[in-house]
Amino acid sequence: DYEKFVNHVVGVDAQPIVVSKSVYDNGVDQLKAETVRGIYEGEIENWSEVDGYSGPDKEIQAIGRAVGSGTDTSFRVNMLGDANADMPGVDVRKGENQQVAKAVSNSDNAIAYMALAFVSEDVPAVALDFDGTVYEPGKNLADKGYPLARDLHCYTYEGTSKKEAA
């Protein structure tokens, strides 16, 4: 019986799209949502097919989170339209953000989605053009329209005092 629990939104988890430093340095600092979809749906397989990329032909290594993780489910729902959407473009899956960040930093051709806290100089986040609005790391990833932002929840039991809830 969950009716006695009270839901409190306590924060927003913004998940950026990140790419390998080499890809970023070769001009990919912004992607269209359609491009990201195309990569994860297996329709775009080489960075030379991506607007802005100026480097050599390079196969794309698409990194996904573990199937069933909240991050993976959120990505599928918000970018692909369904929690069970197929992602045939995924080359490797990682269970934790640290593993995703390490894989991207050790690669010269990767793209991934992960928690904002793991972005670094070696794992740069890119802006995302979603339905005509550009969402930029450090600026507006927590906005309501950003498709890879999700609320973080804390639950208290009915009758919990304000002191206990705090």
Side-chain angles (χ1 to χ4, degrees):
D1 182 16
Y2 297 112
E3 291 178 13
K4 294 184 181 183
F5 288 91
V6 179
N7 177 20
H8 308 273
V9 175
V10 295
V12 176
D13 177 23
Q15 304 161 6
I17 301 295
V18 297
V19 296
S20 296
K21 181 92 166 86
S22 172
V23 172
Y24 189 87
D25 289 345
N26 278 298
V28 179
D29 59 1
Q30 179 174 318
L31 290 168
K32 292 181 180 177
E34 295 80 18
T35 302
V36 174
R37 283 187 200 105
I39 291 169
Y40 280 91
E41 290 175 340
E43 296 166 3
I44 300 172
E45 298 180 343
N46 194 298
W47 282 110
S48 64
E49 300 173 61
V50 175
D51 290 343
Y53 181 74
S54 62
D57 278 2
K58 217 180 261 191
E59 189 174 311
I60 297 172
Q61 178 189 24
I63 300 170
R65 290 295 305 273
V67 174
S69 74
T71 303
D72 184 65
T73 301
S74 177
F75 180 85
R76 288 178 196 239
V77 166
N78 296 310
M79 288 299 291
L80 306 177
D82 188 311
N84 297 310
D86 287 336
M87 292 192 345
V90 173
D91 297 296
V92 64
R93 291 192 172 276
K94 299 292 182 182
E96 299 176 358
N97 288 303
Q98 297 91 330
Q99 295 170 325
V100 173
K102 185 175 181 179
V104 173
S105 70
N106 288 336
S107 175
D108 68 351
N109 64 339
I111 184 171
Y113 50 95
M114 63 179 203
L116 184 60
F118 294 89
V119 170
S120 70
E121 187 176 298
D122 294 328
V123 184
V126 299
L128 181 66
D129 180 338
F130 189 83
D131 291 338
T133 300
V134 176
Y135 296 95
E136 298 180 59
K139 291 188 178 178
N140 59 347
L141 295 191
D143 286 3
K144 289 279 186 201
Y146 182 61
L148 298 177
R150 60 184 176 170
D151 291 340
L152 299 175
H153 305 267
C154 178
Y155 298 90
T156 57
Y157 193 72
E158 181 181 79
T160 301
S161 73
K162 287 184 179 183
K163 183 177 180 180
E164 289 172 314

